[in-house]
Structure formats: C-alpha cells, structure tokens
Amino acid sequence: EAIATYRENFPEVPFVREADMKALEPTILAKAINADHVDLIVGGPPCQGFSMARQRDGANHGDRRFIKDERRELYQEFLRFVDYFQPKVFVIENVLGIKSAEGGKYFTAVQHEARNLGKENGRAGYRVHAQVEQAWELGVPQKRRRQLIIGVRADLPGYFPTTLKAPKRSMPNMMLGAAIMDLPPLKAGAGKEAQDYDLDLRAKAIRDYGTYAEKYLFEVLEVRKAKLLTAHRARSHSERDLGDFKKLKEGQSSADAMRKGVKFDFPYSTKSFKDRYTRQHRAFQCSTIVAHLSKDGLMFIHPTQNRSITPREAARIQSFPDWFKFPVARIHQFRLIGNAVPPLVSEAVGNEVVNFIAEQTMHKRTRMNRTIPQDQ
C-alpha cells in the first residue's frame, strides 16, 4: 500500500522499488539506478521493535514490556547499503525507545558499526551523532519526539548541524485547532471519501486562529491544490464508547477524569488502561500520531465532536498536504499516516542535508582553485 500510494502521488519519480532488504543485494539496486555512489541515504528501520509503549504491534497502551522482535536487527541491513554506496550523509529515524532498549544495546551498536563502516577496506568510516527531533518546534501540531541518528562520511570536513531549523513555510508551536477546525463536523460513522470543502468554515478558522491557520492551511496543507476534501470519514464507535467520550472535557484523559471522580463504562482494567481515552485540545499540540490508529482512535478523540479523528485530520496533524491521496481502505490510511515521518520534519532534515552538501561542494572548489605563491 505504501508503494502504491507513493506512485500515485509522485508519478514523476522514475524509480520506486518494493523489496525485502534482507534479500536485496546493493549491486542489484546500483544497477537499477545506474549509480554506485549517492549523496544521501535515509531510512527508518522499523520502530515497533523499540517502542516503550507496546505489547505486540505498536499498541500505545498496556503493560510496558519488551518481547523478542527480529525487526530490531534490520538496522544492519540499512548499514549494509550505506557501506556499499558510501553516501556523504545518512539519516536514521526511530522512536526514543531505541536509546533504552536492552540497556541501550542497539542505540550503541548502530553508531559504533556506522563509525567503522569500510575501515577494514581503507575507507574513512563515518562521524555519527544522535539528536532528538521535536516535531512541534518544526511546525507540526503534535507532541512528537523522535530519535535521529546522523552520519557524515569521515573524510568530509565540517559537522552536520545538531539543531534543525523549521521550514520557512511553517510556524513553530502550531496548535491543533488551526490545523483541523476548518473541516466539516461529523458524527461517528459519518463522512464521505471525497466531498467539497466548507469555505465558510475555512474563513471562520482563519478568523479564530489568525496567521497560524492561514499559514498552515495555505502553505503547509496547500489546500488550494486540492479540488476535493478526501479521507474525511469518521469511524463508528459503540454506544458505550460514545457515552464515555461525552464524559471527557477538552484536553482531558480518562486517567485525569477518574482522579476527579468520573466513572467510565469501559470494561478495561483501570490500572493498565488509565489513559484509554483522551480528548485532544484545540489550543495545544495533539498526542503523537501512531500506526495503532488503524485499530482504534480512543486516544485521539476530537476536541469538540463526539468521535475519534478521521484519516484526513490525522494526515493534517502529520503535516501531509490535502492533495496527498491515501488508499480508500481506512485501515491502510491510518497505518500509512501513523508510520510516516511528518513531511515538515523530512523537509527540515532535507534542507540541512542540501546545505551541508552545498558547503562540501564549495569547499572542494575553493581547494581546487587555491593558488600557491611562487618564490620571489
């Protein structure tokens, strides 16, 4: 679904390949792209194996215990491609849990192995550092923190910036309301896959949230490029859940409500599932969007409506433009959106890579053009 979605949205990209990295040889990929060297390799070895808040498959609640997960070893496949193509820069994105998984074993191993790539063959290896990306500082309206591991080929001068800059089209500390409150209201189970925008609601949102909404809607979401509003369909909820939703104030979790004496009807352990429900708040960032949205949206209840968020609302919270199309099946929509790196974060990383490589090119030209004074 991810490959098909990418192809539909970016038909001009000449080469997209779906393959098992454990079975794919770098030489095969090199032949396909007609290049043995590239400037940049970016990847996200599966984060579910490192998540501190999962039981089996990325669930964002329940007992916090690790299980054996072979996906934790896939970083080695990523580094195999780095070793072959010797990019100037590589970037790995993962959850913060990679730092603590098995006492930091994997976090340390990724950096140690990358630093030594190719040294046995006389290569320089990589200078590697880790930095934490805080998405709200880059204009994404969610409380998302992720681990970046960045490597620069050791024979290149200079250091990659340890702080990302927000893209010019974004505004740091974007609030949830500015990103979604122009969308037509829905009841649980209602909505269409494609529908017209409500321009009156858009105008109201801009009046309510000012520059935040105007800049986010037009420059980040690029709503003018979308002819129709897509993927704005609400999932159904049981009457029991809908009744529990109504008991939550804006910005309140079920754990907070229970401390204040609110009684819920949900049949879950109040010890393990204290934060089972969370109603988001318009004036703040949303909780971190996760792939588990494909199973339920109980931690992502709309700030003012009695339902969980729609795929389009989740996509907006991730900073996907409105013209970006997702598969029609809602389960795939949520999974793709939740697994993605927010486009604004990708843009921030990409800008720094472009600037770094440009500096390398300038440094090389300066060195080539340098003249040595002759003896008088």
Side-chain angles (χ1 to χ4, degrees):
E1 289 79 13
I3 293 293
T5 300
Y6 190 91
R7 285 178 173 145
E8 181 176 3
N9 284 280
F10 304 107
E12 72 280 6
V13 175
F15 180 82
V16 184
R17 183 176 186 129
E18 177 186 359
D20 180 354
M21 283 187 70
K22 296 169 77 173
L24 179 64
E25 289 301 318
T27 52
I28 301 299
L29 185 59
K31 183 177 181 180
I33 65 175
N34 194 30
D36 284 323
H37 295 282
V38 296
D39 285 335
L40 171 69
I41 295 181
V42 183
C47 65
Q48 289 87 348
F50 299 114
S51 175
M52 293 183 294
R54 68 179 289 268
Q55 280 184 296
R56 291 184 60 83
D57 49 12
N60 51 18
H61 52 73
D63 292 341
R64 299 191 170 199
R65 61 179 182 270
F66 283 105
I67 61 173
K68 182 174 177 58
D69 195 323
E70 65 179 13
R71 290 174 293 185
R72 295 181 195 169
E73 308 291 347
L74 287 177
Y75 76 88
Q76 295 173 334
E77 302 300 328
F78 177 92
L79 292 181
R80 186 163 60 92
F81 282 77
V82 172
D83 189 30
Y84 179 88
F85 286 100
Q86 288 290 296
K88 295 176 180 177
V89 180
F90 74 78
V91 181
I92 292 176
E93 191 261 5
N94 213 298
V95 293
L96 297 185
I98 191 176
K99 294 183 73 171
S100 57
E102 295 198 22
K105 167 186 171 183
Y106 295 97
F107 186 64
T108 301
V110 172
Q111 297 178 73
H112 174 75
E113 291 176 32
R115 289 189 180 105
N116 291 294
L117 279 180
K119 283 189 175 181
E120 69 277 8
N121 297 320
R123 294 174 180 169
Y126 282 81
R127 293 192 301 274
V128 184
H129 76 275
Q131 62 192 62
V132 175
E133 155 254 308
Q134 300 187 144
W136 62 89
E137 294 181 350
L138 304 175
V140 182
Q142 64 175 292
K143 304 167 189 173
R144 186 185 190 93
R145 302 178 77 234
R146 288 292 186 266
Q147 183 71 58
L148 297 181
I149 298 175
I150 299 172
V152 173
R153 215 171 62 212
D155 62 330
L156 301 175
Y159 291 88
F160 196 88
T162 56
T163 302
L164 300 177
K165 297 182 180 68
K168 292 181 179 178
R169 65 195 183 107
S170 70
M171 291 181 68
N173 300 312
M174 178 60 58
M175 65 191 83
L176 174 61
I180 68 170
M181 291 307 292
D182 67 305
L183 295 176
L186 296 175
K187 292 183 178 181
K192 300 176 181 178
E193 182 56 31
Q195 58 189 299
D196 291 326
Y197 286 95
D198 188 324
L199 299 184
D200 291 334
L201 274 179
R202 181 181 294 175
K204 182 179 184 303
I206 292 173
R207 290 195 301 270
D208 290 345
Y209 298 97
T211 304
Y212 281 95
E214 188 170 23
K215 195 172 182 70
Y216 201 75
L217 289 172
F218 293 115
E219 297 189 37
V220 176
L221 303 182
E222 299 180 338
V223 292
R224 290 193 182 98
K225 294 182 180 180
K227 295 180 180 179
L228 293 171
L229 171 62
T230 59
H232 187 49
R233 294 180 296 148
R235 60 162 32 105
S236 299
H237 295 285
S238 68
E239 289 301 319
R240 183 196 66 215
D241 282 345
L242 291 173
D244 281 345
F245 292 173
K246 289 181 179 179
K247 299 172 185 177
L248 292 172
K249 297 178 181 178
E250 186 172 1
Q252 190 175 46
S253 70
S254 50
D256 179 61
M258 284 189 287
R259 284 193 294 268
K260 292 178 170 56
V262 174
K263 303 291 185 182
F264 289 94
D265 294 324
F266 62 68
Y268 314 108
S269 164
T270 56
K271 182 178 180 180
S272 299
F273 297 92
K274 286 183 178 180
D275 60 351
R276 180 65 174 171
Y277 302 135
T278 301
R279 186 180 290 280
Q280 303 297 322
H281 200 297
R282 287 168 288 178
F284 300 100
Q285 285 84 42
C286 182
S287 301
T288 301
I289 297 296
V290 292
H292 185 71
L293 262 168
S294 64
K295 300 197 173 181
D296 70 62
L298 302 182
M299 291 187 69
F300 300 90
I301 303 169
H302 192 280
T304 62
Q305 298 168 35
N306 209 43
R307 59 171 176 83
S308 58
I309 61 174
T310 67
R312 179 52 60 187
E313 287 165 337
R316 283 182 164 206
I317 295 165
Q318 281 277 64
S319 74
F320 277 96
D322 267 23
W323 51 260
F324 197 96
K325 296 178 181 178
F326 296 96
V328 174
R330 189 165 50 213
I331 187 172
H332 295 316
Q333 292 176 338
F334 277 129
R335 186 176 294 129
L336 291 177
I337 293 165
N339 276 330
V341 174
L344 279 179
V345 174
S346 299
E347 185 174 342
V349 173
N351 287 341
E352 294 295 355
V353 170
V354 168
N355 292 338
F356 179 81
I357 291 177
E359 289 173 3
Q360 298 302 315
T361 303
M362 186 178 299
H363 178 84
K364 184 177 180 180
R365 287 174 180 169
T366 301
R367 193 171 54 201
M368 290 174 63
N369 294 332
R370 186 178 296 146
T371 56
I372 301 174
Q374 299 295 314
D375 291 337
Q376 299 298 317

